[in-house]
Amino acid sequence: MSAADDIYDAAIKDLAARARNMGRIEDADCSHDADNFLCGDRVTVEVALNGDAIENIGGKVRGCMLVQAAAAVIHGAAPGKDRAVLAEGITQARALLADGTPATGDWEGLNAFTPVQGHKHRHDCVLLPFEAVEACLADTDGTD
Amino acid sequence: MNSFRNLFPAIASGRARTYLDNAAMTQIAKPVTDRMAEFEADGRSNVKRGIYPLATRANESFEAARASVAAFMGAKDKDEVIFTSGATAAINLVAHAYGAGLKSGDEIMVGEGEHHANIVPWQMLCERKGLELVVLPVDGDGHLQIEKMVDLISDRTRLIAVTHGSNVTGAVTDVRIISNMARKRGIPVLIDGAQRAGHGPVDVASIGCDFYVLSGHKMFGPTGIGALWARPEILQDLPPFLGGGEMITRVSFDGTDYAPPPHRFEAGTPPVTQAIGLGAAADWMMGLDWAEITTAERELTQSLLDVLNQHKRITVWDPMGVAAGKVPRLPILSFTVEGAHPHDICEVMGGEGVALRGGHHCAQPLMSAFGVDATTRASLALYNDETDIEAFDKAITRMLKVLS
């Protein structure tokens, strides 16, 4: 096994495959395109809200396996939860990538990305869908 | 073993492993680093002003480098060459200096397959001056559809800017035909030679263009240096782009008189060492047998294609099918793999020691024309040989297994 192969284990592949099931949301309360300007990957996120609760998350992922897998984690964890849970998600994702802090609670699925911690050049791939959702929700409450 | 490998320390030592990212940056040749080190150690001084012996020698070295680059480009006179920080800066220089004379409603034509460096400066010029950007489309294999140029040219067309060779597909543009067609209509042509320059000297006279740009880091030279060649009768009348020292004849608060070309376009202290390095790269390249090298590069390109065409999941975005040796092309090719993203491909291939590039290659309009988001690119240089193809073959097989 080469140094790169640890990223592409069964858990990541399984998550990435699930991203294909996200689907689009026609009546979303917000949508946002997030681009990785270095590589051109793009995540389009659509969020339907019910008050402060996330009713559904959809969109389109044009990116690598890590981008797809991260989008799938969000799609699996956030619907039905308060929007604040997404802020917790990105905090846990950053901590996991920075120093290996295990993700907990709603975001345990992030632990699939533990092998990515040693591949700093790929951290942005994991964070791109989170930043897309963060920017999308910011559009709904007037914050930047 | 390829005899050039010993002239490239990172290749000879194996540190660069299987380096197939030459379209992004070639390795630097030892004759280049030797001359740069010699200047830094024994000849370092600023240029253009000092009259003490060290400064005089530095200026002579700097101007000798200009002459070498001019010879590499086929220029008649060294003063037709302007040192820039690279091809991108050279195109921006033209966009500002030549663009200064354009008016609202004028048109700039660019190729659909251009690198962003030959699109965005023109878009910015269009925004500044109210110009129109006209796009010359590519066909399904990435070649410019030159036959459509006549219909797209209008009496407002003021410049045509196209690449000499695609950084994505390796497709070579017939720049002579384009220049000839444009010249008959009095339209200047800019050729982006960034990719072409790493594969031998060029001849701006026989091409018949008006501007030609290149970058040192893609032709075995240092980073941070490039060159613009411009037809002298055009250059003579262009206003400066950047202002500062070294580009004037006299400055007062009543006004400034500008120096003649090339100094008018080289404000401030130039990257002297890098320019000397670019000159060394040009000298070294001009001493090589490019007919032999081109044949070797084409054979290796065919070998790369043979490897890729073994696998049903792989599509090569190839400008001429597998006929690599029959049509002019650069040793650059892009491919996609069903079910695998280029970044994942590059990650696995990189882990196997094979350096490739994945992404849009700063050519997003071309990606759109192909209907893909990104490709994986392999690009060769004169130091690559069959050992690289063997490593590529093994890594491709492994990548397909890992990303299944």
Side-chain angles (χ1 to χ4, degrees), chain A residues 129-143:
Chain A
F130 283 96
E131 289 165 353
V133 176
E134 192 175 46
C136 184
L137 291 177
D139 289 343
T140 67
D141 62 11
T143 59

Side-chain angles (χ1 to χ4, degrees), chain B residues 386-397:
Chain B
E386 284 297 337
T387 62
D388 296 318
I389 307 301
E390 288 164 15
F392 179 77
D393 190 5
K394 285 181 186 170
I396 283 283
T397 301

Side-chain angles (χ1 to χ4, degrees), chain A residues 18-65:
Chain A
R18 285 189 228 167
R20 297 181 197 122
N21 302 323
M22 280 179 66
R24 307 301 295 263
I25 301 175
E26 287 189 8
D27 301 322
D29 291 285
C30 64
S31 68
H32 186 83
D33 295 325
D35 295 300
N36 183 335
F37 79 95
L38 289 176
C39 65
D41 282 357
R42 166 170 279 199
V43 175
T44 300
V45 164
E46 295 151 349
V47 180
L49 295 167
N50 184 0
D52 275 341
I54 295 162
E55 196 167 85
N56 198 7
I57 291 183
K60 186 177 181 185
V61 180
R62 293 159 63 181
C64 66
M65 197 179 285

Side-chain angles (χ1 to χ4, degrees), chain B residues 301-342:
Chain B
T301 304
Q302 183 64 61
S303 297
L304 281 177
L305 289 166
D306 290 344
V307 168
L308 295 170
N309 285 325
Q310 293 172 30
H311 304 284
K312 288 182 180 174
R313 287 174 65 196
I314 295 178
T315 299
V316 181
W317 298 91
D318 184 31
M320 62 282 304
V322 294
K326 298 175 184 171
V327 183
R329 66 167 299 157
L330 299 179
I332 299 169
L333 56 84
S334 284
F335 60 96
T336 50
V337 179
E338 185 185 354
H341 189 278

